[in-house]
Amino acid sequence: MSERRTSLTARLARLGFSDASAAERALSSSPVPLDDPLLDALGGTAEPDLALDGLIRLFEADPDLPGRMAADPLFTRRLLAVLGVSAALGEHLARHPEQWNVLTGPPDPPPPGRLRAELLTAVGADPGDPVPVGLPDALDALRVAYRGRLLHLAGRDLTGEADVGEVAEELAVLADAALEAGLAIARAQVPEHTLCRLAVIGMGKSGGRELNYVSDVDVIFVAEPAESAEGRTGGEEEALRAATRLAAAMMRACSDITPEGSLWEVDANLRPEGKSGPLVRTLASHRAYYERWAKTWEFQALLKARPVAGDLELGQDYLDALSPLVWKAAAGESFVSDVQAMRRRVEDHLKERHGEVERQLKLGPGGLRDVEFAVQLLQMVHGRADELLHSPNTLGALTALSEGGYVGRDDAAALAEAYRFLRRTEHLIQLHRLRRTHLVPADEAGLRRLGRALGLTGDPARQFTDLWRRHARGVRRIHEKLFYRPLLVAVANLPGEEARLTPEAARARLLALGYNDPAGALRHIEALTRGVSRRAAIQRTLLPVMLGWFADAPDPDAGLLGFRRVSDALGATPWYLRLLRDDVTVAERMARLLASSAYVTDLLLRAPDGVKILGDDAELAPRSLTDLRAEALAVVGRHGDREKAEHAVAAVRAIRRRELFRVSVADLLGLADVRTVSEALSDITSVTLEAALTAAVNKVETERGEPIPARLAIVAMGRFGGRELGYGSDADVMFVYEPVDGAEDRQAHRAAHTVAEELRRLLALPAPEPPLGIDPNLRPEGKSGPLVRSLSSYAAYYRRWSSPWESQALLRADPVIGDRELCARFAEVINPIRWPEGGVGEQEVQHIRRLKARMEAERLPRGVDRRLHLKLGPGGLSDVEWVAQLLQLRHAFEVPELRTTRTLSALEAAVEYSLLTARDARTLIDAWCLATRIRGAVMLVRGRASDLLPTDHHRERTAVSRLLGYPGSGDLLEDWRRHARHAREVTERVFYGTG
């Protein structure tokens, strides 16, 4: 006997009984049979000890129960599932063992009319004319009948026959029936109830048909005087008094505690003015309050309003009168910020309750309220123009938001999955004691019960906790993205008729916003929004806002056209519209860029996936020369001998296009200053040339079948050498070679020339990428001289034939590409020429001055206002650069800091050594920077380079001015003239020596 008992105890422990010895003792003295199937079924419950305790009490109370269990496996599963989760329902069954039969029958939910009839009958009311006969035990009868129906639902719920959404809806329908029965009880207590019509409006989870097992049932009461048999309407005050007594009695019928307990608290605090306001109002009074005094949260609460009991016709009148106000509320200027602020206040209040925050399923981070608030805010903002979003049910509304494109499919699916998990967990917690709670148990036994009820095995407590935390993190992440999405504010601020683009609304808005071609714009809008696809739905949400952003930029028509072209290229790509919808920074920046810059628009159309980087300032920072060089050379390295150099250089040019886009966007958005832009553009060019040189060498060597007999280098000249390139600048270069050991110079020259020509060919091939011009005309003898020279040839030329202008040009020579040793030796050759010992003499200075004056007279285009020429005009780039270069030619031999190819660095060094006053240097630097910025802005706006300040095209002039931050084009012109005038004065004095 002892061995048998030990064996049973061990088995019970394996089945999951917490106290196997106590369970064995209880079984030995109970009528529960010790057969294997029953023990296994008990072991499969959430809490076997709890299930066994409840089963023993039922067996003792009803001797017929064992036979029914043996005959009906489905009944047994339901019964044990309930007993293993809910101590409260187990106690209810022990008091009312006759109700175990509710756990039999089909899995289908009872029709709402049947539930209503059952509860009315239970309180002694005729379902056809619900006036009770005044049963003394009506309240207890209501509670017993309600618990019976709750037991039936729990049995189906805990065995997986009803999902969490169906359970929540049936709980709401059951609450409706209970309210109707409570109202029948109240009518017996309020004889004057015939003076009024009273409608009960369900709010919150009750209104949304998503009620918990134990929850306050939020209601609002609306009443009107009743008509007499003669058709006369009674007095309003009398009717309101009767309705108030009736409503209060109904609330007590459901909320008061009796020997059978209570149903739940009926909460009317969502009514106008809350606890301070009258319990019952007329329909007119409700409407007047919401039209004049209601706060944002009160309209949000009305999202879930639903007639649930009483006079349903009056309830529908209430809904018809107030529902339109919900969708107007979202048009308020501060609506979105008010809702967001309210959510923050709730969270701040919760933080004060330190012990509960981490255990809160409802209000904690990643809890149910995060899902509900995000869904409701999106509903109210977008629901003004989309009636499909008007569902009061959270999961139904989330589905509609996903199908309408307002929420991404993945985000919606993750939220729905998490919401179902959290609601199911909440139901399990509440079922245990039938208490209103949203706190996850803190004890191991409670967590274990939850895990087992959810079907988790192994370590159910730990697995439940991990799963819960994972869902909470996911909900919080998506909540932050949706609830605080800036696009919501933009959409909410649109006038109601503009929130959804009808042709009429669009036409009127386009005219008002200043589009030059409304008809053309309408065609673009129609093309983008036509149809019922998800893509069209998202565009219909985005475009009303983006039209305004386009109009805030200089050329809204171009912006809309560019947006259509980019959307046509990327519209079928899943990330594109999702990115614009979810990240307002990307959408707003894209609109601004497309409507401001033909240059950026062209780059984006060449590779539309550049949209991805618009939302991250860090992504828009120019990449370092080291990183770019490594990437470009790696691309060339991946194209082996069998592949053409054309493919390698095409890939490098694509990198260049991408980086030009990055830099130009940063420039347009004010994220990069003029020096950063110039240096970044120079780095991009340098990397492109170095990679192209490598590809050209590979190509020539592959064709020759052997290495070329020369080392090669490229010398950056002009603005390229000074790291001062603009968007439209060519790359001024010189090619230098040196024969490898043992090679003849003729062979080396021929090979170097072939490589240089191949490099130019590769970079000039037709391609979808922006062109890069290579200009070698600053080489010795200009166009007449050889394209490539040996290092010794350069040395000989500069030693014998170099003219002052060539010495001056060499000031910006930077041998940075190709063979490092050759670059260093080339620098040694030219340094004495550009930084001559003792500085240039007076004769050379006069020559330089004459050359400058001649250039000003001869090289300016005919017919242009020289004062508007940013390069050659007075105070322009040339003036500043020649001042810096003259100082270098005179003093660089003794001032090492002047040995730089950069104009601004040279001017700053001149100040440090008292060769130029700080004021003069600042004047020159400011003029140079402004001229460079204007040239860049002109290129960005027009997509074509120009050295002239735009004056003849109003839109271009306005666009350039706005891009540079000037309120008007006249302000830009005035500012440039002032800077140029002051810079010219410094040039006259310092360069020409006239001051």
Side-chain angles (χ1 to χ4, degrees):
M1 183 69 179
S2 175
E3 291 181 5
R4 180 181 175 187
R5 178 173 296 178
T6 302
S7 174
L8 178 60
T9 302
R11 184 178 179 205
L12 292 174
R14 288 194 300 272
L15 287 172
F17 285 83
S18 298
D19 190 343
S21 297
E24 190 276 330
R25 289 193 299 271
L27 280 166
S28 64
S29 60
S30 75
V32 176
L34 293 175
D35 59 78
D36 290 343
L38 182 57
L39 289 180
D40 289 341
L42 283 167
T45 62
E47 190 172 334
D49 305 84
L50 182 63
L52 176 61
D53 180 63
L55 190 61
I56 290 173
R57 287 191 288 175
L58 279 179
F59 272 37
E60 291 172 347
D62 188 342
D64 294 333
L65 184 59
R68 185 54 186 263
M69 290 180 66
D72 191 343
L74 177 59
F75 163 72
T76 302
R77 284 181 58 224
R78 289 174 178 173
L79 176 63
L80 294 182
V82 170
L83 294 177
V85 167
S86 180
L89 287 177
E91 291 168 3
H92 173 77
L93 271 174
R95 290 196 306 273
H96 303 279
E98 74 281 357
Q99 282 203 343
W100 58 253
N101 58 14
V102 304
L103 291 169
T104 62
D108 301 323
R114 179 178 165 187
L115 289 177
R116 179 177 178 275
E118 282 186 13
L119 296 195
L120 284 170
T121 301
V123 299
D126 181 354
D129 183 17
V131 178
V133 295
L135 290 177
D137 59 350
L139 294 184
D140 278 338
L142 174 59
R143 282 147 180 73
V144 172
Y146 180 86
R147 290 286 195 283
R149 272 298 159 192
L150 208 63
L151 179 63
H152 176 248
L153 175 58
R156 292 166 32 239
D157 176 11
L158 296 172
T159 52
E161 298 167 59
D163 75 8
V164 68
E166 294 167 339
V167 170
E169 182 174 359
E170 189 170 331
L171 284 167
V173 173
L174 182 57
D176 296 353
L179 289 170
E180 195 69 73
L183 194 56
I185 294 173
R187 289 193 183 101
Q189 301 171 6
V190 183
E192 65 271 29
H193 71 269
T194 56
L195 297 175
C196 67
R197 301 167 62 200
L198 179 68
V200 184
I201 309 299
M203 304 290 286
K205 284 185 165 56
S206 172
R209 296 181 185 273
E210 49 192 12
L211 205 60
N212 300 327
Y213 277 98
V214 187
S215 175
D216 288 353
V217 174
D218 296 307
V219 298
I220 286 177
F221 297 105
V222 57
E224 291 292 332
E227 289 188 356
S228 66
E230 292 78 19
R232 295 190 303 273
T233 302
E236 185 175 293
E237 289 186 15
E238 244 182 343
L240 283 175
R241 281 196 296 271
T244 301
R245 289 190 62 198
L246 188 61
M250 186 211 79
M251 293 173 69
R252 289 193 299 272
C254 295
S255 305
D256 283 357
I257 298 176
T258 75
E260 291 292 339
S262 68
L263 297 183
W264 14 254
E265 189 75 21
V266 179
D267 188 344
N269 291 337
L270 290 178
R271 67 185 184 269
E273 300 181 80
K275 294 180 180 179
S276 304
L279 182 63
V280 181
R281 289 176 183 257
T282 64
L283 180 54
S285 176
H286 274 287
R287 177 156 190 149
Y289 173 83
Y290 282 101
E291 287 178 338
R292 298 181 63 188
W293 307 111
K295 297 179 176 64
T296 298
W297 70 264
E298 293 178 283
F299 291 106
Q300 186 178 350
L302 282 176
L303 267 176
K304 295 184 177 294
R306 177 176 65 89
V308 294
D311 191 321
L312 298 182
E313 183 180 348
L314 176 58
Q316 188 59 48
D317 291 342
Y318 173 91
L319 219 57
D320 293 342
L322 295 186
S323 289
L325 302 181
V326 173
W327 310 109
K328 290 181 181 179
E333 184 175 341
S334 62
F335 167 75
V336 172
S337 58
D338 284 349
V339 175
Q340 292 170 342
M342 180 177 64
R343 180 67 181 132
R344 292 189 187 99
R345 286 195 297 272
V346 171
E347 292 177 341
D348 291 343
H349 176 68
L350 184 65
K351 290 175 184 176
E352 298 173 5
R353 296 150 63 181
H354 301 292
E356 295 185 1
V357 176
E358 294 303 318
R359 295 168 52 212
Q360 263 282 355
L361 274 177
K362 179 179 179 182
L363 300 176
L368 290 161
R369 193 56 62 86
D370 273 359
V371 180
E372 293 163 354
F373 261 66
V375 168
Q376 289 166 24
L377 181 57
L378 288 167
Q379 277 184 279
M380 293 189 71
V381 169
H382 298 295
R384 295 179 298 154
D386 190 346
E387 293 185 359
L388 296 177
L389 303 182
H390 290 192
S391 170
N393 181 271
T394 300
L395 289 174
L398 184 56
T399 298
L401 286 165
S402 176
E403 290 175 351
Y406 306 99
V407 177
R409 288 191 184 96
D410 291 343
D411 285 347
L415 282 182
E417 180 186 0
Y419 188 73
R420 291 175 184 277
F421 171 84
L422 293 171
R423 289 301 306 276
R424 180 148 173 72
T425 300
E426 183 183 44
H427 287 176
L428 291 169
I429 293 170
Q430 293 180 350
L431 272 172
H432 184 53
R433 296 291 181 189
L434 282 184
R435 292 176 183 167
R436 180 176 177 269
T437 179
H438 310 286
L439 292 178
V440 174
D443 61 294
E444 182 74 14
L447 293 172
R448 182 171 175 268
R449 182 178 62 253
L450 286 178
R452 286 172 62 96
L454 290 168
L456 303 177
T457 58
D459 184 348
R462 182 184 60 78
Q463 287 191 47
F464 165 76
T465 303
D466 291 345
L467 186 58
W468 170 37
R469 296 302 184 195
R470 177 172 65 79
H471 279 305
R473 286 193 299 271
V475 167
R476 191 61 180 181
R477 176 185 60 80
I478 300 171
H479 168 82
E480 294 284 356
K481 180 169 73 172
L482 298 180
F483 193 72
Y484 299 104
R485 180 191 287 171
L487 182 62
L488 285 173
V489 180
V491 174
N493 288 339
L494 289 173
E497 67 276 5
E498 295 177 4
R500 205 66 164 174
L501 283 180
T502 63
E504 295 75 16
R507 184 178 293 105
R509 187 151 194 250
L510 291 168
L511 286 169
L513 289 173
Y515 282 74
N516 287 336
D517 182 12
L522 274 174
R523 288 193 296 273
H524 300 320
I525 293 170
E526 182 183 359
L528 288 164
T529 61
R530 184 190 303 117
V532 294
S533 67
R534 184 176 182 82
R535 170 185 173 185
I538 297 177
Q539 291 284 20
R540 285 192 290 270
T541 302
L542 287 170
L543 272 172
V545 180
M546 295 194 74
L547 288 176
W549 289 333
F550 292 138
D552 288 338
D555 195 345
D557 297 87
L560 180 55
L561 172 60
F563 180 66
R564 178 184 174 182
R565 295 171 69 189
V566 173
S567 295
D568 286 345
L570 287 177
T573 308
W575 59 263
Y576 168 60
L577 290 176
R578 182 174 66 236
L579 177 64
L580 296 187
R581 179 196 59 210
D582 293 345
D583 192 336
V584 71
T585 301
V586 174
E588 188 171 5
R589 283 179 170 179
M590 183 179 177
R592 176 179 169 186
L593 295 169
L594 292 173
S596 299
S597 173
Y599 182 80
V600 167
T601 300
D602 178 67
L603 290 174
L604 191 57
L605 289 172
R606 293 172 188 264
D609 61 353
V611 172
K612 290 179 180 178
I613 70 171
L614 294 182
D616 187 349
D617 287 357
E619 278 290 321
L620 294 173
R623 296 180 62 201
S624 70
L625 177 63
T626 301
D627 289 346
L628 284 176
R629 182 173 182 273
E631 181 184 9
L633 293 180
V635 165
V636 173
R638 285 195 293 269
H639 291 77
D641 293 344
R642 296 182 181 180
E643 298 183 75
K644 295 182 178 179
E646 286 85 347
H647 296 164
V649 174
V652 171
R653 291 174 70 179
I655 294 173
R656 175 174 177 265
R657 182 261 311 140
R658 182 196 68 200
E659 296 307 314
L660 289 176
F661 179 74
R662 191 192 311 275
V663 173
S664 57
V665 169
D667 190 0
L668 278 163
L669 297 178
L671 301 176
D673 62 22
V674 65
R675 288 196 184 190
T676 301
V677 170
S678 296
E679 292 188 8
L681 294 174
S682 302
D683 285 345
I684 294 167
T685 298
S686 178
V687 164
T688 304
L689 283 177
E690 182 171 4
L693 176 63
T694 303
V697 169
N698 291 344
K699 172 81 178 294
V700 172
E701 288 183 341
T702 299
E703 292 175 347
R704 288 169 55 93
E706 61 181 358
I708 62 171
R711 291 184 289 273
L712 300 173
I714 298 176
V715 182
M717 301 291 288
R719 290 192 169 279
F720 182 23
R723 292 174 60 78
E724 298 163 356
L725 284 181
Y727 295 106
S729 300
D730 288 341
D732 292 315
V733 300
M734 296 193 302
F735 296 98
V736 57
Y737 74 91
E738 188 174 49
V740 298
D741 293 341
E744 294 183 4
D745 184 74
R746 186 190 318 175
Q747 294 174 330
H749 179 272
R750 185 181 301 115
H753 186 273
T754 302
V755 169
E757 290 288 11
E758 179 62 18
L759 179 148
R760 296 173 73 187
R761 185 189 72 84
L762 290 172
L763 290 173
L765 287 173
E769 315 300 343
L772 172 59
I774 305 298
D775 187 347
N777 292 336
L778 289 178
R779 65 187 185 269
E781 302 178 82
K783 294 180 180 180
S784 304
L787 178 62
V788 296
R789 284 179 181 264
S790 66
L791 180 63
S792 59
S793 174
Y794 275 108
Y797 175 86
Y798 287 128
R799 187 170 55 250
R800 298 179 60 188
W801 308 109
S802 176
S803 60
W805 76 263
E806 287 177 309
S807 298
Q808 187 176 349
L810 288 175
L811 287 170
R812 305 177 86 178
D814 191 5
V816 291
I817 299 169
D819 186 271
R820 295 298 175 213
E821 182 182 348
L822 181 56
C823 287
R825 293 177 62 195
F826 183 87
E828 292 173 0
V829 167
I830 65 171
N831 285 346
I833 309 299
R834 55 181 172 176
W835 307 324
E837 186 68 27
V840 293
E842 190 59 31
Q843 184 177 353
E844 286 85 356
V845 169
Q846 292 302 322
H847 179 83
I848 291 170
R849 287 170 175 165
R850 286 194 300 272
L851 190 63
K852 172 81 163 68
R854 177 181 165 189
M855 183 184 69
E856 290 176 3
E858 296 179 359
R859 294 184 59 185
L860 272 169
R862 293 183 180 181
V864 304
D865 184 344
R866 62 193 306 269
R867 295 172 300 174
L868 301 180
H869 203 279
L870 299 165
K871 181 176 180 181
L872 301 177
L877 294 168
S878 177
D879 273 3
V880 178
E881 290 163 359
W882 283 60
V883 168
Q885 290 162 17
L886 182 59
L887 292 171
Q888 288 178 288
L889 288 168
R890 280 180 157 177
H891 303 287
F893 76 96
E894 58 183 353
V895 178
E897 285 77 3
L898 282 174
R899 300 169 194 170
T900 175
T901 61
R902 307 182 187 191
T903 301
L904 303 189
S905 297
L907 292 174
E908 290 163 349
V911 173
E912 185 179 351
Y913 285 87
S914 302
L915 303 174
L916 189 67
T917 67
R919 181 176 180 179
D920 285 349
R922 176 47 50 197
T923 297
L924 294 173
I925 288 172
D926 288 348
W928 188 93
C929 288
L930 180 57
T932 301
R933 289 181 63 219
I934 295 173
R935 288 177 92 200
V938 170
M939 180 66 177
L940 289 173
V941 168
R942 298 176 57 188
R944 302 188 308 276
S946 174
D947 288 321
L948 280 176
L949 192 73
T951 57
D952 56 345
H953 194 290
H954 174 73
R955 185 174 293 276
E956 283 185 1
R957 186 170 69 249
T958 301
V960 170
S961 300
R962 290 177 63 178
L963 193 154
L964 294 171
Y966 291 92
S969 56
D971 300 289
L972 170 60
L973 181 60
E974 181 180 346
D975 196 35
W976 166 245
R977 284 176 170 169
R978 179 174 60 82
H979 277 84
R981 184 174 64 254
H982 293 162
R984 185 63 179 186
E985 290 171 358
V986 175
T987 302
E988 294 284 356
R989 181 162 26 87
V990 176
F991 183 82
Y992 288 109
T994 59

